[in-house]
PDB file of all heavy atoms in Angstrom:
ATOM      1  N   ALA A   1      35.977 -59.877-180.080  1.00 98.00           N
ATOM      2  CA  ALA A   1      34.662 -59.409-180.521  1.00 98.00           C
ATOM      3  C   ALA A   1      33.660 -59.468-179.376  1.00 98.00           C
ATOM      4  O   ALA A   1      33.477 -60.529-178.760  1.00 98.00           O
ATOM      5  CB  ALA A   1      34.158 -60.248-181.695  1.00 98.00           C
ATOM      6  N   ALA A   2      33.024 -58.345-179.100  1.00 97.00           N
ATOM      7  CA  ALA A   2      31.917 -58.297-178.140  1.00 97.00           C
ATOM      8  C   ALA A   2      30.630 -58.449-178.939  1.00 97.00           C
ATOM      9  O   ALA A   2      30.240 -57.554-179.687  1.00 97.00           O
ATOM     10  CB  ALA A   2      31.927 -56.983-177.375  1.00 97.00           C
ATOM     11  N   VAL A   3      29.993 -59.611-178.797  1.00 97.00           N
ATOM     12  CA  VAL A   3      28.890 -60.004-179.684  1.00 97.00           C
ATOM     13  C   VAL A   3      27.561 -59.607-179.061  1.00 97.00           C
ATOM     14  O   VAL A   3      27.092 -60.227-178.110  1.00 97.00           O
ATOM     15  CB  VAL A   3      28.947 -61.523-179.958  1.00 97.00           C
ATOM     16  CG1 VAL A   3      27.843 -61.930-180.919  1.00 97.00           C
ATOM     17  CG2 VAL A   3      30.317 -61.903-180.519  1.00 97.00           C
ATOM     18  N   ASN A   4      26.936 -58.589-179.619  1.00 95.00           N
ATOM     19  CA  ASN A   4      25.707 -58.029-179.056  1.00 95.00           C
ATOM     20  C   ASN A   4      24.703 -57.745-180.169  1.00 95.00           C
ATOM     21  O   ASN A   4      24.195 -56.643-180.309  1.00 95.00           O
ATOM     22  CB  ASN A   4      26.034 -56.737-178.300  1.00 95.00           C
ATOM     23  CG  ASN A   4      24.871 -56.233-177.468  1.00 95.00           C
ATOM     24  OD1 ASN A   4      24.357 -56.937-176.602  1.00 95.00           O
ATOM     25  ND2 ASN A   4      24.442 -55.010-177.725  1.00 95.00           N
ATOM     26  N   ALA A   5      24.448 -58.757-180.996  1.00 92.00           N
ATOM     27  CA  ALA A   5      23.631 -58.573-182.198  1.00 92.00           C
ATOM     28  C   ALA A   5      22.148 -58.676-181.905  1.00 92.00           C
ATOM     29  O   ALA A   5      21.722 -59.401-181.004  1.00 92.00           O
ATOM     30  CB  ALA A   5      24.007 -59.616-183.242  1.00 92.00           C
ATOM     31  N   ILE A   6      21.349 -57.973-182.697  1.00 89.00           N
ATOM     32  CA  ILE A   6      19.903 -58.156-182.620  1.00 89.00           C
ATOM     33  C   ILE A   6      19.506 -59.481-183.260  1.00 89.00           C
ATOM     34  O   ILE A   6      18.480 -60.061-182.947  1.00 89.00           O
ATOM     35  CB  ILE A   6      19.153 -56.991-183.301  1.00 89.00           C
ATOM     36  CG1 ILE A   6      17.676 -57.007-182.913  1.00 89.00           C
ATOM     37  CG2 ILE A   6      19.325 -57.019-184.808  1.00 89.00           C
ATOM     38  CD1 ILE A   6      16.904 -55.791-183.383  1.00 89.00           C
ATOM     39  N   GLY A   7      20.361 -59.995-184.153  1.00 90.00           N
ATOM     40  CA  GLY A   7      20.087 -61.246-184.847  1.00 90.00           C
ATOM     41  C   GLY A   7      20.649 -62.460-184.128  1.00 90.00           C
ATOM     42  O   GLY A   7      20.897 -62.440-182.920  1.00 90.00           O
ATOM     43  N   ASP A   8      20.862 -63.533-184.885  1.00 94.00           N
ATOM     44  CA  ASP A   8      21.291 -64.821-184.352  1.00 94.00           C
ATOM     45  C   ASP A   8      22.735 -65.107-184.743  1.00 94.00           C
ATOM     46  O   ASP A   8      23.277 -64.527-185.678  1.00 94.00           O
ATOM     47  CB  ASP A   8      20.403 -65.939-184.902  1.00 94.00           C
ATOM     48  CG  ASP A   8      18.922 -65.639-184.719  1.00 94.00           C
ATOM     49  OD1 ASP A   8      18.567 -65.040-183.681  1.00 94.00           O
ATOM     50  OD2 ASP A   8      18.131 -65.987-185.610  1.00 94.00           O
ATOM     51  N   ILE A   9      23.355 -66.057-184.040  1.00 96.00           N
ATOM     52  CA  ILE A   9      24.726 -66.450-184.307  1.00 96.00           C
ATOM     53  C   ILE A   9      24.739 -67.848-184.922  1.00 96.00           C
ATOM     54  O   ILE A   9      24.079 -68.764-184.431  1.00 96.00           O
ATOM     55  CB  ILE A   9      25.580 -66.444-183.019  1.00 96.00           C
ATOM     56  CG1 ILE A   9      25.437 -65.096-182.308  1.00 96.00           C
ATOM     57  CG2 ILE A   9      27.036 -66.730-183.354  1.00 96.00           C
ATOM     58  CD1 ILE A   9      25.813 -63.894-183.133  1.00 96.00           C
ATOM     59  N   TYR A  10      25.506 -67.988-186.014  1.00 95.00           N
ATOM     60  CA  TYR A  10      25.611 -69.251-186.738  1.00 95.00           C
ATOM     61  C   TYR A  10      27.053 -69.754-186.668  1.00 95.00           C
ATOM     62  O   TYR A  10      28.004 -68.962-186.718  1.00 95.00           O
ATOM     63  CB  TYR A  10      25.209 -69.070-188.199  1.00 95.00           C
ATOM     64  CG  TYR A  10      23.728 -68.860-188.401  1.00 95.00           C
ATOM     65  CD1 TYR A  10      23.124 -67.673-188.020  1.00 95.00           C
ATOM     66  CD2 TYR A  10      22.933 -69.859-188.961  1.00 95.00           C
ATOM     67  CE1 TYR A  10      21.755 -67.477-188.187  1.00 95.00           C
ATOM     68  CE2 TYR A  10      21.567 -69.669-189.141  1.00 95.00           C
ATOM     69  CZ  TYR A  10      20.976 -68.479-188.746  1.00 95.00           C
ATOM     70  OH  TYR A  10      19.635 -68.297-188.912  1.00 95.00           O
ATOM     71  N   ASN A  11      27.214 -71.076-186.570  1.00 94.00           N
ATOM     72  CA  ASN A  11      28.559 -71.639-186.520  1.00 94.00           C
ATOM     73  C   ASN A  11      29.131 -71.778-187.925  1.00 94.00           C
ATOM     74  O   ASN A  11      28.495 -71.402-188.920  1.00 94.00           O
ATOM     75  CB  ASN A  11      28.575 -72.971-185.760  1.00 94.00           C
ATOM     76  CG  ASN A  11      27.736 -74.048-186.454  1.00 94.00           C
ATOM     77  OD1 ASN A  11      27.349 -73.922-187.607  1.00 94.00           O
ATOM     78  ND2 ASN A  11      27.463 -75.120-185.727  1.00 94.00           N
ATOM     79  N   GLY A  12      30.336 -72.344-188.027  1.00 91.00           N
ATOM     80  CA  GLY A  12      30.994 -72.460-189.318  1.00 91.00           C
ATOM     81  C   GLY A  12      30.267 -73.348-190.300  1.00 91.00           C
ATOM     82  O   GLY A  12      30.467 -73.235-191.513  1.00 91.00           O
ATOM     83  N   ALA A  13      29.402 -74.237-189.817  1.00 91.00           N
ATOM     84  CA  ALA A  13      28.620 -75.107-190.696  1.00 91.00           C
ATOM     85  C   ALA A  13      27.300 -74.476-191.107  1.00 91.00           C
ATOM     86  O   ALA A  13      26.501 -75.106-191.808  1.00 91.00           O
ATOM     87  CB  ALA A  13      28.359 -76.441-189.994  1.00 91.00           C
ATOM     88  N   GLY A  14      27.059 -73.247-190.672  1.00 89.00           N
ATOM     89  CA  GLY A  14      25.826 -72.562-191.043  1.00 89.00           C
ATOM     90  C   GLY A  14      24.636 -72.929-190.182  1.00 89.00           C
ATOM     91  O   GLY A  14      23.487 -72.668-190.570  1.00 89.00           O
ATOM     92  N   ASN A  15      24.871 -73.500-189.016  1.00 92.00           N
ATOM     93  CA  ASN A  15      23.785 -73.872-188.109  1.00 92.00           C
ATOM     94  C   ASN A  15      23.647 -72.844-186.993  1.00 92.00           C
ATOM     95  O   ASN A  15      24.648 -72.403-186.415  1.00 92.00           O
ATOM     96  CB  ASN A  15      24.048 -75.256-187.496  1.00 92.00           C
ATOM     97  CG  ASN A  15      24.097 -76.344-188.546  1.00 92.00           C
ATOM     98  OD1 ASN A  15      23.297 -76.362-189.480  1.00 92.00           O
ATOM     99  ND2 ASN A  15      25.050 -77.262-188.407  1.00 92.00           N
ATOM    100  N   ILE A  16      22.428 -72.498-186.661  1.00 94.00           N
ATOM    101  CA  ILE A  16      22.184 -71.502-185.625  1.00 94.00           C
ATOM    102  C   ILE A  16      22.552 -72.077-184.256  1.00 94.00           C
ATOM    103  O   ILE A  16      22.193 -73.206-183.919  1.00 94.00           O
ATOM    104  CB  ILE A  16      20.705 -71.048-185.664  1.00 94.00           C
ATOM    105  CG1 ILE A  16      20.473 -69.893-184.706  1.00 94.00           C
ATOM    106  CG2 ILE A  16      19.766 -72.194-185.397  1.00 94.00           C
ATOM    107  CD1 ILE A  16      19.097 -69.260-184.867  1.00 94.00           C
ATOM    108  N   ILE A  17      23.312 -71.309-183.480  1.00 95.00           N
ATOM    109  CA  ILE A  17      23.745 -71.786-182.166  1.00 95.00           C
ATOM    110  C   ILE A  17      23.275 -70.873-181.036  1.00 95.00           C
ATOM    111  O   ILE A  17      23.298 -71.267-179.869  1.00 95.00           O
ATOM    112  CB  ILE A  17      25.274 -71.930-182.105  1.00 95.00           C
ATOM    113  CG1 ILE A  17      25.969 -70.611-182.454  1.00 95.00           C
ATOM    114  CG2 ILE A  17      25.744 -73.052-183.009  1.00 95.00           C
ATOM    115  CD1 ILE A  17      27.474 -70.654-182.302  1.00 95.00           C
ATOM    116  N   ALA A  18      22.849 -69.667-181.368  1.00 96.00           N
ATOM    117  CA  ALA A  18      22.327 -68.759-180.347  1.00 96.00           C
ATOM    118  C   ALA A  18      21.477 -67.708-181.044  1.00 96.00           C
ATOM    119  O   ALA A  18      21.790 -67.280-182.149  1.00 96.00           O
ATOM    120  CB  ALA A  18      23.451 -68.088-179.570  1.00 96.00           C
ATOM    121  N   GLY A  19      20.399 -67.310-180.373  1.00 94.00           N
ATOM    122  CA  GLY A  19      19.540 -66.296-180.984  1.00 94.00           C
ATOM    123  C   GLY A  19      18.151 -66.263-180.397  1.00 94.00           C
ATOM    124  O   GLY A  19      17.942 -66.613-179.224  1.00 94.00           O
ATOM    125  N   LEU A  20      17.207 -65.863-181.212  1.00 93.00           N
ATOM    126  CA  LEU A  20      15.818 -65.724-180.782  1.00 93.00           C
ATOM    127  C   LEU A  20      15.241 -67.071-180.377  1.00 93.00           C
ATOM    128  O   LEU A  20      15.227 -68.018-181.162  1.00 93.00           O
ATOM    129  CB  LEU A  20      14.993 -65.120-181.922  1.00 93.00           C
ATOM    130  CG  LEU A  20      13.496 -64.965-181.672  1.00 93.00           C
ATOM    131  CD1 LEU A  20      13.230 -63.982-180.546  1.00 93.00           C
ATOM    132  CD2 LEU A  20      12.797 -64.524-182.951  1.00 93.00           C
ATOM    133  N   ARG A  21      14.732 -67.141-179.143  1.00 94.00           N
ATOM    134  CA  ARG A  21      14.163 -68.394-178.644  1.00 94.00           C
ATOM    135  C   ARG A  21      12.687 -68.519-178.980  1.00 94.00           C
ATOM    136  O   ARG A  21      12.011 -67.541-179.290  1.00 94.00           O
ATOM    137  CB  ARG A  21      14.353 -68.483-177.131  1.00 94.00           C
ATOM    138  CG  ARG A  21      15.795 -68.689-176.692  1.00 94.00           C
ATOM    139  CD  ARG A  21      15.883 -68.772-175.177  1.00 94.00           C
ATOM    140  NE  ARG A  21      15.582 -67.497-174.545  1.00 94.00           N
ATOM    141  CZ  ARG A  21      15.012 -67.359-173.365  1.00 94.00           C
ATOM    142  NH1 ARG A  21      14.634 -68.436-172.682  1.00 94.00           N
ATOM    143  NH2 ARG A  21      14.812 -66.172-172.853  1.00 94.00           N
ATOM    144  N   SER A  22      12.202 -69.747-178.909  1.00 91.00           N
ATOM    145  CA  SER A  22      10.781 -70.012-179.101  1.00 91.00           C
ATOM    146  C   SER A  22       9.987 -69.376-177.963  1.00 91.00           C
ATOM    147  O   SER A  22      10.545 -68.942-176.952  1.00 91.00           O
ATOM    148  CB  SER A  22      10.523 -71.524-179.137  1.00 91.00           C
ATOM    149  OG  SER A  22      11.017 -72.132-177.951  1.00 91.00           O
ATOM    150  N   GLU A  23       8.662 -69.337-178.114  1.00 90.00           N
ATOM    151  CA  GLU A  23       7.821 -68.685-177.109  1.00 90.00           C
ATOM    152  C   GLU A  23       7.937 -69.341-175.743  1.00 90.00           C
ATOM    153  O   GLU A  23       7.841 -68.666-174.714  1.00 90.00           O
ATOM    154  CB  GLU A  23       6.364 -68.669-177.582  1.00 90.00           C
ATOM    155  CG  GLU A  23       6.127 -67.759-178.775  1.00 90.00           C
ATOM    156  CD  GLU A  23       4.656 -67.649-179.127  1.00 90.00           C
ATOM    157  OE1 GLU A  23       3.821 -68.180-178.351  1.00 90.00           O
ATOM    158  OE2 GLU A  23       4.337 -67.050-180.157  1.00 90.00           O
ATOM    159  N   ASP A  24       8.150 -70.655-175.720  1.00 90.00           N
ATOM    160  CA  ASP A  24       8.298 -71.320-174.422  1.00 90.00           C
ATOM    161  C   ASP A  24       9.730 -71.220-173.886  1.00 90.00           C
ATOM    162  O   ASP A  24      10.011 -71.647-172.764  1.00 90.00           O
ATOM    163  CB  ASP A  24       7.873 -72.788-174.511  1.00 90.00           C
ATOM    164  CG  ASP A  24       8.707 -73.604-175.492  1.00 90.00           C
ATOM    165  OD1 ASP A  24       9.750 -73.093-175.965  1.00 90.00           O
ATOM    166  OD2 ASP A  24       8.320 -74.743-175.801  1.00 90.00           O
ATOM    167  N   GLY A  25      10.635 -70.664-174.697  1.00 90.00           N
ATOM    168  CA  GLY A  25      11.999 -70.446-174.261  1.00 90.00           C
ATOM    169  C   GLY A  25      12.882 -71.668-174.244  1.00 90.00           C
ATOM    170  O   GLY A  25      14.044 -71.587-173.856  1.00 90.00           O
ATOM    171  N   GLU A  26      12.365 -72.817-174.694  1.00 90.00           N
ATOM    172  CA  GLU A  26      13.110 -74.060-174.573  1.00 90.00           C
ATOM    173  C   GLU A  26      14.056 -74.316-175.751  1.00 90.00           C
ATOM    174  O   GLU A  26      15.036 -75.039-175.610  1.00 90.00           O
ATOM    175  CB  GLU A  26      12.136 -75.243-174.450  1.00 90.00           C
ATOM    176  CG  GLU A  26      11.273 -75.190-173.191  1.00 90.00           C
ATOM    177  CD  GLU A  26      12.116 -75.232-171.923  1.00 90.00           C
ATOM    178  OE1 GLU A  26      13.097 -75.993-171.897  1.00 90.00           O
ATOM    179  OE2 GLU A  26      11.791 -74.503-170.966  1.00 90.00           O
TER     180      GLU A  26
END
């Protein structure tokens, strides 16, 4: 899978692991 989503990626536990960052980027 080439993952190029406009949204975020969640792991098997339903926790966000990659996606839209905060304004400070941290």
Side-chain angles (χ1 to χ4, degrees):
V3 182
N4 191 57
I6 194 172
D8 309 324
I9 308 303
Y10 288 71
N11 63 14
N15 298 319
I16 187 171
I17 56 175
L20 177 64
R21 290 180 292 148
S22 56
E23 292 186 7
D24 61 11
E26 297 299 320

